[in-house]
Amino acid sequence: MMCASFLIMAGAGATYLFGVYSKTINSTLGYDQSTLNLIGTFKDLGANVGVLSGLLAEVTPTWFVLLVGSVMNFAGYFLIWLAVTKKIATPKVWQMCIYICVGANSQNFANTGSLVTCVKNFPESRGMMLGLMKGYVGLSGAIFTQLYLAIYGNDSKSLILLIGWLPAVLSIIFIPNIRVMKCSRHPNEVKVYNYNLVISILLALLLMGITIAQKYIDFSHVAYVACATIVCVVLFFPCIVAIREEWSCWKLKMEEFLKSTPSRVIVEEPPLPELKPAAGGGQPVELPEYSSMVEQTQEEKKKKKEVGCFSDIFEKPKRGEDYTILQALLSLDMLILFVATFCGLGCSLTAIDNLGQIVYVASLLIGFSFGIQLTLLFIIISELFGLKYYSTLFNCGQLASPLGSYIMNVKIVGNLYDNEALKQLASKGLTRSMVKELICIGKQCYRNSFIILACANLFGALVSLILVMRTKDYYKSDIYKRFRDEMEANEKEMKIVSAAGKKEHCEIQE
C-alpha cells in the first residue's frame, strides 16, 4: 500500500509543470502575462480546493475517490491538449480556466485517496510518511519531463497529453492497494522509512543532475530513453524494500507459529467448562474464554466519545482529539494556519508559476520551502484536530493557497510584469496591438514583485510564531500516546483471535 501511494504521488504533481507548458499555451493562443497568470491561478485554485474530494471521501470508499480523480484528470488536460493542438475551436479564456481547474483538481482526489489513507494506517509515523509522499509529488514534475522526452521527444504539447493519461492510469492500476488496514506497528518501520528516504534523495539528485545536463548538452532520443529508464528503475526501488520486509515478516510469523504449536498432543481430561443457557431453552453452550476478552476490547472502543460533524461547535475538545469540521474551521489555530498558508504557499506558487525567469539556486530554495510548508500544514492539521474528519480538514486548510496565489500572481506579479513590458515597448516606439505577446526582458521585470513576495513571507513567518507559542505545551506532551494504545489494543485482539484459532486446531486434533 505504501509503494502504491508513492507511485500515485509521483504522478500527482502535474500542476508544478505549468511553468513548462504555459509557454506553449501562451504562444499558441496568444495570451498576455496577466491572462496567463489568471489561468495559472485557476490551476492553483483547482489544485488546492479539495473540499469536494474530502467530503466525498467521508461518504464513499477510497477506490471511488481515486476513480473520480482519474476521470477528472484525463478530461481536463485532454481538452487543453486538444485546444493547443488546434484539434478543436480555440476556447475562450474562461473555458481554459475551467479545463485546467478540473484537471488540477484531480490532484486532490489522489491526495485524499492515498495520503489520507496512509496517515490513518501510520498514525504515529505520519510526519515521515507525509514527508516522503509530498517529496514524490515534488519530484513528479521532473519525472514527467524525463518520460515525455523519452516517449514524445522535445514537444511540450505532447507533455500536456502525457499529464492527461499517465496519472489516470496510475490511480486506476493501484486502486485495489489503497485501503485503510487494521494493523499494528511494523517492527522495522523506522528503518523502512530511512531506506525510502535515501531512495527519494537519490532520485532527487539523479533528476537534478540529468536536468542540468540536458540544459547544456544536446541529448539524442536514445539518451533520453536511457535517462527515463534509469529514473523508472530508481522510482521502483521502494517496491524492492517492501517485498523484502513482507518476506521477512512472513518468515518471522511462521517461526513464531511453529514454536507455539505443540509437536505432540497429550490427551487429558479437560476441566468442566463454564456453561451458559442457550437462547430459546436449547442445550447449554460453552462460553469461550477469549470471546469475553474480545467483547471487553470492543466495549473499550465504544466508550470513546462520539461527536457529530456539526454539533458542539463552540465546545471544542482538547488539542489532538477529534474535532468536528466546524469546530476546527472556527478555531483560532486554523485561522493562524490560514494566514501563514496564504503568505507562504501563495508566494511559493507564484514563484513556481514563473520559474522560467529565475536562476537555479532560487528555484531549489523555493522548491524546498514549498515542500516543507505543505507537509507541515498537513501534519499540524492532523495533530491538532484529529483524524476523524482529516480528509475534509486538510483540504480546507489549504484553501488559503489559491487565494494567496491569485492576489500575488495575478494582481501583483502579472500586472507589474505587463507594465514593465509595456514600458519597453513604448521605448521602442511600439504599442500593444503591434505584438502578439508581451515579453519583458531584464531583472527589472520581477525585481519589485519578488521584494513584495519576500515581505509577505516574512509576515507569514511572524504569524506562525503565534501558533508556536500557543501549542508549545501541547507538543511537549506525548501526542501519539493515544494511537499507540489503539495499536496495542489491536495487537491484543489479533493475539486473542490467533490463540483461539490454535486452540480450536488442537481440539480438532484431539
Side-chain angles (χ1 to χ4, degrees), residues 128 187-197 241 244-245:
M128 292 183 285
N188 295 329
E189 191 170 295
V190 177
K191 186 186 293 185
V192 172
Y193 284 129
N194 291 334
Y195 286 149
N196 286 317
L197 176 61
V241 176
R244 190 188 69 175
E245 289 299 322

Side-chain angles (χ1 to χ4, degrees), residues 31-176:
Y31 295 147
D32 57 21
Q33 188 66 26
S34 295
T35 303
L36 191 64
N37 285 357
L38 178 64
I39 294 175
T41 300
F42 271 87
K43 179 265 300 179
D44 296 334
L45 181 70
N48 293 280
V49 180
V51 178
L52 175 61
S53 63
L55 294 174
L56 191 64
E58 301 286 356
V59 295
T60 61
T62 304
W63 66 264
F64 185 76
V65 176
L66 292 173
L67 184 62
V68 172
S70 301
V71 174
M72 292 176 62
N73 184 89
F74 179 76
Y77 287 107
F78 186 67
L79 287 171
I80 295 174
W81 177 75
L82 292 176
V84 298
T85 54
K86 301 296 185 179
K87 296 184 182 297
I88 59 174
T90 301
K92 298 180 180 179
V93 174
W94 67 266
Q95 291 174 318
M96 285 293 292
C97 291
I98 292 177
Y99 296 163
I100 200 164
C101 186
V102 170
N105 192 248
S106 65
Q107 177 179 320
N108 292 295
F109 288 81
N111 276 337
T112 303
S114 56
L115 187 146
V116 174
T117 303
C118 283
V119 169
K120 292 182 177 180
N121 284 337
F122 304 94
E124 193 175 353
S125 305
R126 70 187 74 174
M128 292 183 285
M129 193 68 196
L130 284 171
L132 286 170
M133 295 184 72
K134 299 310 293 183
Y136 277 95
V137 174
L139 295 176
S140 63
I143 295 171
F144 268 105
T145 301
Q146 297 307 315
L147 291 177
Y148 105 85
L149 289 173
I151 298 173
Y152 298 108
N154 196 4
D155 179 12
S156 56
K157 294 180 181 178
S158 298
L159 173 62
I160 302 174
L161 179 61
L162 181 68
I163 292 172
W165 67 263
L166 184 56
V169 170
L170 286 173
S171 293
I172 291 174
I173 290 176
F174 294 111
I175 275 179

Side-chain angles (χ1 to χ4, degrees), residues 128-376:
M128 292 183 285
M129 193 68 196
L130 284 171
L132 286 170
M133 295 184 72
K134 299 310 293 183
Y136 277 95
V137 174
L139 295 176
S140 63
I143 295 171
F144 268 105
T145 301
Q146 297 307 315
L147 291 177
Y148 105 85
L149 289 173
I151 298 173
Y152 298 108
N154 196 4
D155 179 12
S156 56
K157 294 180 181 178
S158 298
L159 173 62
I160 302 174
L161 179 61
L162 181 68
I163 292 172
W165 67 263
L166 184 56
V169 170
L170 286 173
S171 293
I172 291 174
I173 290 176
F174 294 111
I175 275 179
N177 301 92
I178 310 299
R179 64 194 186 281
V180 176
M181 293 179 285
K182 185 180 179 181
C183 57
S184 58
R185 185 179 175 91
H186 192 282
N188 295 329
E189 191 170 295
V190 177
K191 186 186 293 185
V192 172
Y193 284 129
N194 291 334
Y195 286 149
N196 286 317
L197 176 61
V198 172
I199 292 171
S200 63
I201 293 174
L202 176 63
L203 181 61
L205 293 175
L206 176 66
L207 289 167
M208 185 173 66
I210 291 175
T211 302
I212 294 175
Q214 290 172 349
K215 186 74 174 179
Y216 297 101
I217 302 174
D218 290 332
F219 276 53
S220 64
H221 188 258
V222 175
Y224 284 135
V225 172
C227 291
T229 302
I230 296 172
V231 169
C232 289
V233 169
V234 177
L235 184 61
F236 278 87
F237 275 179
C239 295
I240 299 175
V241 176
I243 292 172
R244 190 188 69 175
E245 289 299 322
E246 292 289 346
W247 173 252
S248 300
C249 287
W250 182 82
K251 287 197 302 182
L252 183 62
K253 289 179 181 179
M254 289 301 298
E255 290 174 0
E256 292 178 353
F257 178 79
L258 292 175
K259 288 179 181 179
S260 60
T261 302
S263 58
R264 60 194 181 100
V265 178
I266 299 175
V267 180
E268 296 181 354
E269 187 69 21
L272 291 176
E274 181 184 352
L275 301 177
K276 75 170 185 178
Q283 294 294 327
V285 296
E286 179 180 354
L287 180 61
E289 195 174 307
Y290 68 88
S291 63
S292 61
M293 299 176 69
V294 173
E295 291 174 0
Q296 183 179 359
T297 305
Q298 292 175 347
E299 288 177 2
E300 290 176 357
K301 293 182 178 180
K302 290 180 180 178
K303 286 181 181 178
K304 294 181 179 179
K305 185 179 179 182
E306 293 289 337
V307 292
C309 183
F310 300 102
S311 64
D312 301 329
I313 297 176
F314 298 105
E315 297 179 5
K316 297 181 176 61
K318 295 180 180 179
R319 288 192 179 98
E321 296 182 2
D322 291 327
Y323 280 57
T324 65
I325 295 175
L326 290 182
Q327 282 176 344
L329 295 181
L330 297 177
S331 67
L332 183 58
D333 292 340
M334 184 64 83
L335 176 62
I336 296 172
L337 282 172
F338 186 90
V339 175
T341 303
F342 174 89
C343 298
L345 293 184
C347 293
S348 295
L349 286 171
T350 301
I352 289 172
D353 288 343
N354 296 278
L355 280 181
Q357 314 288 340
I358 303 172
V359 297
Y360 289 124
V361 176
S363 301
L364 189 65
L365 291 175
I366 291 170
F368 271 117
S369 66
F370 180 78
I372 291 170
Q373 290 175 83
L374 194 59
T375 304
L376 282 176

Side-chain angles (χ1 to χ4, degrees), residues 416 450 466:
L416 291 177
F450 277 87
I466 302 175

